C-alpha cells in the first residue's frame, strides 16, 4: 500500500474513533482504549511524563504508534500532546536503527525478540524523558500501547524500567466469518469483513479493530470460517484479502486464510485433491505463489480437514501429516505456516469422541513439517463450559502444538451471559499434563518448552462482529482482551487481566474494581454450575446450542446427542471413561490419569466426565450425587442473582448506557440460568426418580414443556 493511502486510512480511523468517543459516548465502541481524562487529583503525577512525542522512523507502524500516543495522551491528560523535540517529559520512540538517541542508550533489546520492547525513564541531554524502544517498529507500537495502558490503569510512570516480549510467536484470531456476511457461532451482528465492498472499501472500523488487536499483541487474523468455501482462494477474493492485509499491516497484523482441502478440484478443476498427487501439489504451490505475489507477508493457511464432513486427506487414505505437509511446502517457500486443526471426529468411528483426535494424531508425532502448527482445542470434546485438557497436549513432543480457545461463547451463554472465559483459558494453561514429566503444563507445551520448538502459538475463535460494541456485550470484550494478553504471556494471571480490563473499560475506582473483578472471576464457575455441573458436558440443545436439551437422543450421529454424554438412566449418570468404559483415561499420562481414576477421590468438577455413578453415590461432601446435582444447579442460579446485586451496587461508577446494557443482559442470564436448572432437573429427575432435597423448589414447568421449546431463529447458525 502506498504511504499516502496508509495515512489516509489511518486518519479516517482516528476520526471515526474520536467521533465515537464524543458523539456516541460510552456505547462500548471504544473498548479498553477509551482514554478518558485522568482524575484531577492524579493528573500532576502523569503530566510531567508525557508532554511531547519525539519519534524516529517513517514507517506506517511508527505513524500508528505516534497517532495512538497523541490520541491516548491527549485524552488521558486533557492537554494537547504533539510531536516535537527533546524536552523535559518527552516520550522518545524508535529502534536503535532508526533513532540515534535510542542507539546511544544501549538498552537491553538484544535479549528480546523482534516484537519485544523496552520502556525506560532516563535522561537525554539533561532532560528527563520516557523512552519506548523496540528491535522493530512493531515492538515500538506494542510499547506505546503498554505505556498508555499504565496510565489508563493509574500505575506510576515516573521511574519505569520495563522489558517485555511475547512468549508465543503466532497470536491469532480465527474469524468464523462467511463470505455472505454471516458468522458461524457469531452473536455480535454480522461479519466486519465486507467482502462485497472490498477491495475498494476503506472502513475506519478496520483500523480501530487493528488498534484493539495490536494493543494486546494480537499479530494474526484468519479472515474466513474454518468451514471454508473454496471461493476465498480465487483471484477476486485474493484481491479483497490483499486490501484487508494492507489495512492491518501497519499494526503488525498478518492475514491468514482458512483453506478448503478440496479446492484443487472445485476451483482448480483437477480430478483429485490427493495430497500425494504431483498435480495437486503443483496446484497448491501455484496458488501460494499467486497469494504471495499480492500479499508478500501473507501468514499462511488454517485447515479443518477430515472433520465434520469437511474434505481432507482421509478421503484419499492419507494421513493428516500428508495433508498438512503438502500445504506447508506450498506456503513455506514464502515464509508462511499451516495451522492444522486437531478437531476431528468421524461418524464412521464408534469409539468415544473424546478419544478420536489422539488416535489419529498421536502416532504422527515427528512427521509434521517444521512450519506446521497443530491447533488443538483446550478440551477433547468441544469448547464446553468445563473440560479436562486435551490429551494431545504434552503427548507429541516432536510436534509444534498450539492451543485453540473459543472467545465467542457458543456453549457459554452466547452474547448475553456474563461469563469471563479468560478464567477458563487460564485453567487450561495452568494444568499439568504430566506429558513429559511433572510440570509439563499446557502453557509450557505451547511456549515450545517441550522439545524446544521455535514455532509457537495460540488461537482464539473471535467474538467480533458489526455490533456497535464489537462483541455483542460489554463484558464479552473482556475475553478478546484476555485472549490477547494470554497469547502474549500464557503464564499471566486471569485475575490481573480482568482487573486491568475493568479499569480501562469502566473505572479505576477501587470501589468498582474489586467487586467487578471478583464477579468476573466467579462467573465462569457460575455458568458451569447452572449449565453442566459436576463434569456433565454437551447438554445443549441441537444445532444452535442455545439452551438446555439433555433429553435429545435421536440425532443421526450418536456423538451429536446430549444423551450420549450424560448417559443418564435409572441406574445412574455419567460417562465411564475408565478401563471399564471407553478408557479415554489411558490417553493421559499416568500421573494425570490417576487423579481421575477413582470416583471417590476425583475432583467432583470432573466426576461425570470420567465416571458413571449411581444417583445415590456418596459424594465427598456427604450428600448423595442426586442431591449435589440439584444443589449445584440451584447455586448457579443464586450466583447469577448475586451478580445482579453486585452490578446494581456499581451504578455510581458506570455510565448509564453501559450500565443498562449490562443490567439487561443479567436479567436474561438470570431467567435463562433458571431455565437451565429447571429443565435439567426435570429431565434428570425423570431418570433418577428421586425427590428433590429439602428446601429446593421443583422445576416451574413440566419436562414436556421444556422439550417443546424450539428456537429456529437462534443466532450464530449462518453457513
Ligand atoms: C463446533 C461448532 C461448529 C464448528 C466446529 C469447529 O459447533 O460450528 O464448525 O466447532 O470447531 O464447536 O470446527
Amino acid at each position: 500500500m502506498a504511504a499516502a493511502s496508509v495515512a489516509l486510512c489511518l486518519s479516517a480511523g482516528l476520526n471515526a474513533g474520536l467521533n465515537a468517543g464524543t458523539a456516541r459516548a460510552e456505547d462500548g465502541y471504544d473498548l479498553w482504549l477509551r482514554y478518558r481524562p485522568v482524575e484531577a487529583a492524579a493528573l500532576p503525577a502523569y503530566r510531567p511524563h508525557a508532554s511531547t512525542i519525539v519519534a524516529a522512523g517513517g514507517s506506517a507502524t511508527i505513524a500508528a504508534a505516534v497517532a495512538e500516543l497523541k490520541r491516548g495522551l491527549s485524552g488521558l491528560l486533557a492537554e494537547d500532546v504533539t510531536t516535537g523535540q527533546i524536552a523535559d517529559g518527552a516520550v522518545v520512540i524508535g529502534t536503535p536503527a532508526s533513532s540515534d538517541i535510542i542507539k546511544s542508550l544501549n538498552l537491553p533489546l538484544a535479549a528480546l525478540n523482534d516484537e519485544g520492547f523496552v520502556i525506560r525513564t532516563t535522561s537525554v541531554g539533561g532532560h528527563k524523558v520516557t523512552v519506548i524502544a523496540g528491535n522493530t517498529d512493531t515492538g515500538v507500537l506494542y510499547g506505546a500501547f503498554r505505556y498508555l495502558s499504565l496510565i489508563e490503569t493509574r500505575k506510576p510512570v515516573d521511574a519505569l524500567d520495563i522489558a517485555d516480549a511475547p512468549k508465543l510467536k503466532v497470536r491469532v484470531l480465527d474469524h468464523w466469518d462467511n463470505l455472505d456476511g454471516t458468522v458461524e457461532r457469531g452473536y455480535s451482528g454480522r461479519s466486519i469483513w465486507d467482502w462485497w465492498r472490498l477491495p475498494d472499501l476503506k472502513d475506519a472500523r478496520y483500523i480501530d479493530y487493528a488498534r484493539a488487536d495490536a494493543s494486546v499483541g494480537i499479530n494474526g487474523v484468519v479472515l474466513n470460517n474454518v468451514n471454508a468455501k473454496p471461493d476465498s482462494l480465487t483471484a477476486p477474493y485474493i484481491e479483497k484479502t490483499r486490501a484487508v492485509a494492507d489495512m492491518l499491516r501497519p499494526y503488525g497484523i498478518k492475514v491468514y486464510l482458512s483453506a478448503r482441502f478440496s479446492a484443487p478440484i472445485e476451483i482448480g478443476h483437477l480430478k483429485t485433491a490427493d495430497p500425494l498427487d504431483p498435480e495437486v501439489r503443483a496446484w497448491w504451490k501455484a496458488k501460494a505463489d499467486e497469494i504471495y505475489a499480492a500479499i508478500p507477508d501473507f501468514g499462511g493457511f488454517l485447515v479443518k480437514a477430515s472433520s465434520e464432513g469437511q474434505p481432507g486427506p482421509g478421503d484419499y487414505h492419507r494421513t493428516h501429516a500428508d495433508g498438512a505437509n503438502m500445504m506447508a511446502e506450498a506456503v513455506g517457500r514464502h515464509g508462511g505456516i499451516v495451522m492444522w486443526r486437531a478437531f476431528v471426529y468421524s461418524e464412521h468411528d464408534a469409539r468415544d469422541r473424546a478419544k478420536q483426535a489422539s488416535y489419529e494424531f498421536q502416532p504422527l508425532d515427528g512427521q509434521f513439517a517444521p512450519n506446521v502448527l497443530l491447533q488443538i482445542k483446550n478440551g477433547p470434546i468441544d469448547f464446553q463450559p468445563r473440560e479436562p485438557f486435551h490429551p494431545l497436549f504434552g503427548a507429541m513432543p516432536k510436534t509444534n502444538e498450539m492451543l485453540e480457545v473459543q472467545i465467542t461463547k457458543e456453549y457459554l451463554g452466547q452474547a448475553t451471559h456474563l461469563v469471563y472465559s479468560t478464567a477458563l483459558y487460564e485453567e487450561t494453561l495452568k494444568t499439568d499434563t504430566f506429558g513429559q514429566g511433572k510440570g509439563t503444563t499446557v502453557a509450557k507445551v505451547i511456549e515450545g518448552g517441550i522439545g524446544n520448538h521455535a514455532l509457537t502459538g495460540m488461537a482464539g475463535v473471535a467474538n467480533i462482529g458489526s455490533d456497535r460494541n464489537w462483541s455483542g456485550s460489554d463484558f464479552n470484550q473482556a475475553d478478546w482482551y484476555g485472549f490477547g494478553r494470554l497469547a502474549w504471556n500464557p503464564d499471566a494471571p486471569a485475575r490481573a487481566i480482568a482487573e486491568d480490563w475493568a479499569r480501562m473499560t469502566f473505572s479505576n475506582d477501587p470501589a468498582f474494581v474489586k467487586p467487578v473483578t471478583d464477579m468476573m472471576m466467579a462467573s465462569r464457575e457460575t455458568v458451569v454450575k447452572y449449565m453442566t455441573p459436576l463434569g456433565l458436558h454437551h447438554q445443549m440443545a441441537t444445532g444452535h446450542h442455545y439452551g438446555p436439551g439433555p433429553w435429545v437422543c435421536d440425532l443421526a450421529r450418536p456423538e451429536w446427542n446430549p444423551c450420549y454424554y450424560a448417559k443418564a438412566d435409572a441406574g445412574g449418570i455419567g460417562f465411564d471413561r475408565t478401563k471399564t468404559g471407553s478408557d479415554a483415561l489411558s490417553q493421559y499420562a499416568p500421573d494425570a490419569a490417576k487423579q481421575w481414576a477413582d470416583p471417590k477421590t476425583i475432583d467432583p468438577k470432573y466426576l461425570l466426565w470420567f465416571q458413571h455413578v449411581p444417583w445415590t453415590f456418596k459424594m465427598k461432601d456427604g450428600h448423595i450425587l442426586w442431591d449435589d446435582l440439584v444443589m449445584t444447579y440451584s447455586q448457579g442460579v443464586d450466583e447469577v442473582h448475586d451478580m445482579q446485586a453486585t452490578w446494581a451496587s456499581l451504578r455510581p461508577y458506570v455510565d448509564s448506557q453501559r450500565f443498562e446494557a449490562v443490567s439487561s443482559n443479567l436479567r436474561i442470564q438470570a431467567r435463562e440460568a433458571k431455565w437451565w436448572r429447571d429443565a435439567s432437573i426435570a429431565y434428570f429427575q425423570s431418570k433418577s426418580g428421586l425427590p428433590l432435597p429439602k428446601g429446593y423448589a421443583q422445576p416451574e414447568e413440566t419436562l414436556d414443556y421444556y422439550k417443546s421449546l424450539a428456537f429456529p431463529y437462534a443466532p450464530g447458525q449462518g453457513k
Side-chain angles (χ1 to χ4, degrees):
M1 184 189 240
S5 53
V6 170
L8 193 89
C9 56
L10 209 64
S11 63
L14 292 177
N15 287 339
L18 287 178
N19 288 341
T22 49
R24 310 187 58 169
E26 306 299 344
D27 57 8
Y29 183 86
D30 292 345
L31 297 160
W32 49 90
L33 302 173
R34 289 163 59 248
Y35 305 135
R36 297 294 187 273
V38 171
E39 313 69 43
L43 258 184
Y46 293 106
R47 273 202 177 142
H49 308 288
S51 57
T52 320
I53 300 156
V54 182
S59 72
T61 303
I62 290 295
V66 169
E68 198 68 32
L69 284 168
K70 275 192 194 166
R71 170 198 187 110
L73 295 175
S74 309
L76 287 160
L77 309 182
E79 63 176 8
D80 237 16
V81 176
T82 55
T83 43
Q85 301 303 317
I86 289 281
D88 282 337
V91 178
V92 182
I93 71 168
T95 67
S98 66
S99 159
D100 288 340
I101 301 176
I102 287 173
K103 193 171 170 200
S104 72
L105 291 172
N106 286 323
L107 298 168
L109 284 164
L112 305 175
N113 57 35
D114 273 3
E115 295 173 297
F117 57 81
V118 168
I119 308 178
R120 186 176 280 186
T121 311
T122 186
S123 166
V124 172
H127 299 289
K128 189 173 175 186
V129 301
T130 306
V131 171
I132 303 176
N135 288 314
T136 63
D137 290 349
T138 304
V140 175
L141 178 67
Y142 290 154
F145 275 113
R146 178 69 60 83
Y147 182 62
L148 290 168
S149 76
L150 296 175
I151 305 179
E152 279 187 280
T153 55
R154 306 295 185 267
K155 307 277 189 314
V157 296
D158 55 346
L160 294 173
D161 191 5
I162 298 173
D164 198 12
K167 288 187 180 163
L168 303 183
K169 216 164 182 163
V170 178
R171 308 177 298 277
V172 67
L173 284 177
D174 292 358
H175 285 253
W176 286 359
D177 294 17
N178 298 312
L179 301 183
D180 65 1
T182 57
V183 181
E184 182 156 338
R185 312 308 177 187
Y187 312 102
S188 47
R190 291 176 64 78
S191 171
I192 58 169
W193 312 121
D194 191 342
W195 294 110
W196 191 245
R197 291 181 202 192
L198 287 164
D200 298 305
L201 176 69
K202 295 263 181 280
D203 190 341
R205 197 172 173 119
Y206 295 162
I207 305 304
D208 288 330
Y209 166 81
R211 291 176 45 238
D213 280 351
S215 75
V216 284
I218 291 167
N219 68 355
V221 178
V222 182
L223 297 177
N224 60 322
N225 193 350
V226 282
N227 298 316
K229 294 268 188 273
D231 311 55
S232 293
L233 300 174
T234 59
Y237 280 92
I238 292 172
E239 180 54 13
K240 292 167 192 283
T241 299
R242 181 201 56 75
V244 176
D246 286 346
M247 287 185 270
L248 304 186
R249 184 173 298 114
Y251 296 86
I253 301 169
K254 285 185 181 181
V255 300
Y256 298 75
L257 289 173
S258 292
R260 184 167 164 89
F261 196 79
S262 54
I265 302 175
E266 287 142 348
I267 57 172
H269 309 296
L270 301 185
K271 290 212 167 53
T272 177
D274 182 347
L276 299 191
D277 182 291
E279 271 194 286
V280 174
R281 300 177 79 85
W283 187 87
W284 281 109
K285 280 188 186 154
K287 186 49 73 181
D289 292 349
E290 183 188 347
I291 297 173
Y292 279 93
I295 311 165
D297 58 351
F298 179 66
F301 293 133
L302 170 65
V303 190
K304 172 178 179 176
S306 298
S307 172
E308 293 191 325
Q310 294 297 317
D315 302 344
Y316 308 95
H317 306 289
R318 309 294 188 199
T319 68
H320 284 282
D322 293 332
N325 293 347
M326 169 191 61
M327 295 171 91
E329 189 186 10
V331 294
R333 299 177 313 144
H334 304 279
I337 62 161
V338 166
M339 292 171 279
W340 190 269
R341 295 179 87 226
F343 177 69
V344 300
Y345 62 95
S346 155
E347 71 268 41
H348 307 301
D349 193 337
R351 290 174 290 197
D352 178 1
R353 173 173 163 186
K355 295 177 75 175
Q356 292 188 26
S358 287
Y359 275 129
E360 286 197 45
F361 282 94
Q362 212 273 332
L364 301 177
D365 190 25
Q367 294 184 29
F368 288 95
N371 63 329
V372 174
L373 273 163
L374 189 61
Q375 183 167 312
I376 307 166
K377 288 188 181 182
N378 57 288
I381 296 290
D382 194 6
F383 298 138
Q384 295 301 297
R386 167 161 284 117
E387 299 193 36
F389 69 87
H390 198 297
L392 279 174
F393 285 116
M396 296 182 69
K398 292 188 225 125
T399 304
N400 302 320
E401 294 193 324
M402 81 188 280
L403 169 65
E404 176 179 341
V405 297
Q406 197 180 40
I407 307 171
T408 190
K409 296 212 287 272
E410 175 180 358
Y411 297 98
L412 290 95
Q414 306 188 350
T416 45
H417 294 207
L418 196 165
V419 178
Y420 178 51
S421 298
T422 304
L424 182 165
Y425 320 151
E426 177 190 49
E427 178 176 281
T428 301
L429 287 163
K430 287 222 165 106
T431 305
D432 198 340
T433 69
F434 296 94
Q436 307 299 314
K438 196 170 161 42
T440 315
T441 60
V442 174
K444 188 162 178 193
V445 171
I446 69 165
E447 284 167 21
I450 303 302
N452 230 346
H453 299 284
L455 181 58
T456 55
M458 181 161 162
V461 181
N463 65 355
I464 295 148
S466 60
D467 277 5
R468 186 73 194 152
N469 66 17
W470 302 88
S471 300
S473 82
D474 292 292
F475 273 87
N476 278 354
Q477 297 174 355
D479 295 317
W480 177 5
Y481 177 85
F483 163 76
R485 291 278 305 264
L486 284 177
W488 179 277
N489 176 12
D491 303 304
R495 168 172 273 277
I497 294 172
E499 181 178 326
D500 284 349
W501 175 82
R503 286 175 176 275
M504 293 194 272
T505 305
F506 289 108
S507 163
N508 275 289
D509 196 313
F512 174 83
V513 174
K514 166 90 170 63
V516 100
T517 309
D518 288 347
M519 175 173 80
M520 288 169 74
M521 288 306 291
S523 65
R524 185 302 185 96
E525 213 57 63
T526 299
V527 73
V528 172
K529 287 177 188 166
Y530 65 74
M531 282 190 185
T532 49
L534 303 180
L536 284 173
H537 48 290
H538 222 305
Q539 298 302 293
M540 293 75 193
T542 305
H544 44 66
H545 298 149
Y546 168 72
W551 45 82
V552 176
C553 215
D554 58 356
L555 303 177
R557 290 170 56 158
E559 74 285 345
W560 282 350
N561 289 296
C563 72
Y564 167 93
Y565 297 98
K567 302 210 185 306
D569 58 21
I573 181 170
F575 198 130
D576 182 0
R577 291 192 165 104
T578 68
K579 273 202 199 61
T580 52
S582 80
D583 203 18
L585 263 186
S586 65
Q587 292 184 332
Y588 290 95
D591 282 337
K594 77 173 184 229
Q595 54 190 338
W596 300 318
D598 181 349
K600 288 199 260 340
T601 53
I602 191 174
D603 183 335
K605 287 176 183 162
Y606 296 106
L607 177 66
L608 304 178
W609 185 285
F610 287 110
Q611 306 280 344
H612 185 85
V613 288
W615 296 106
T616 52
F617 176 77
K618 200 67 178 268
M619 301 286 285
K620 281 183 192 167
D621 63 7
H623 297 121
I624 59 165
L625 167 71
W626 166 249
D627 287 357
D628 248 10
L629 199 61
V630 174
M631 290 173 184
T632 312
Y633 278 121
S634 310
Q635 202 183 341
V637 179
D638 292 346
E639 286 175 11
V640 178
H641 292 143
D642 294 345
M643 285 161 72
Q644 286 184 290
T646 301
W647 187 250
S649 75
L650 299 175
R651 185 191 279 272
Y653 308 99
V654 184
D655 52 283
S656 59
Q657 191 169 341
R658 291 186 301 165
F659 179 81
E660 200 37 65
V662 173
S663 304
S664 305
N665 282 339
L666 284 168
R667 278 195 291 278
I668 296 172
Q669 185 173 3
R671 182 161 42 75
E672 294 186 350
K674 179 166 165 21
W675 168 35
W676 264 99
R677 174 214 181 259
D678 284 359
S680 306
I681 290 177
Y683 172 69
F684 290 127
Q685 193 172 31
S686 78
K687 300 289 176 192
S688 77
L690 294 171
L692 265 54
K694 238 177 131 186
Y696 285 81
Q698 273 301 131
E700 203 167 313
E701 306 284 351
T702 63
L703 177 57
D704 283 342
Y705 166 81
Y706 295 116
K707 284 183 173 179
S708 74
L709 300 175
F711 304 94
Y713 308 114
Q717 302 177 80
K719 286 275 175 223

